[in-house]
Amino acid sequence: MTTWQETYTDLLPAEFFTEGHSRQRREMWARILSEQRAEWSIRVAESDGEIIGFAMAGPVSLWVAKQNPRAMAFYRRNGFRCDGTEKRDPGASAITDIPMVRP
């Protein structure tokens, strides 16, 4: 949740970052991380037994906020390109998500 706050605090209202939203995100990621899928590669970083970060990768594509040019530049440097579509997250309507793919 801290990452979201640091990245999107200028795009989302303060009331977006509630304990309820944080709990919902933790539950969502707990479900995703507990599912074993051959096409996903998941890595978890720990420090002193506490999870401090994780990464998940799967076949080809990723979603990035259009309003996050730093992330988009990082993905472009690593071979990803925008596919031309976009969508709005109903829970974060100020953010436009775009898929990036690696040919």
Side-chain angles (χ1 to χ4, degrees):
M1 191 63 170
T2 303
T3 302
W4 266 67
Q5 287 175 313
E6 290 175 5
T7 305
Y8 301 112
T9 195
D10 59 329
L11 296 174
L12 297 169
E15 59 270 12
F16 180 85
F17 302 104
T18 64
E19 179 53 36
H21 181 262
S22 181
R23 183 179 59 254
Q24 188 178 38
R25 302 275 307 167
R26 284 192 305 269
E27 290 169 359
M28 176 192 75
W29 282 109
R31 270 192 320 278
I32 290 170
L33 294 171
S34 68
E35 294 175 5
Q36 296 293 321
R37 296 180 109 180
E39 68 271 20
W40 290 353
S41 177
I42 300 171
R43 298 293 181 261
V44 177
E46 294 182 74
S47 177
D48 296 323
E50 181 179 342
I51 295 175
I52 58 170
F54 67 92
M56 182 175 97
V60 182
S61 68
L62 59 88
W63 288 86
V64 64
K66 185 176 182 178
Q67 296 88 341
N68 191 344
R70 185 175 173 196
M72 291 176 65
F74 170 81
Y75 294 127
R76 282 191 183 103
R77 283 192 308 272
N78 287 282
F80 286 86
R81 299 289 172 253
C82 299
D83 82 349
T85 60
E86 19 182 273
K87 74 173 186 175
R88 296 262 175 154
D89 181 340
S93 60
I95 296 175
T96 302
D97 293 318
I98 58 172
M100 295 184 78
V101 297
R102 191 170 4 194

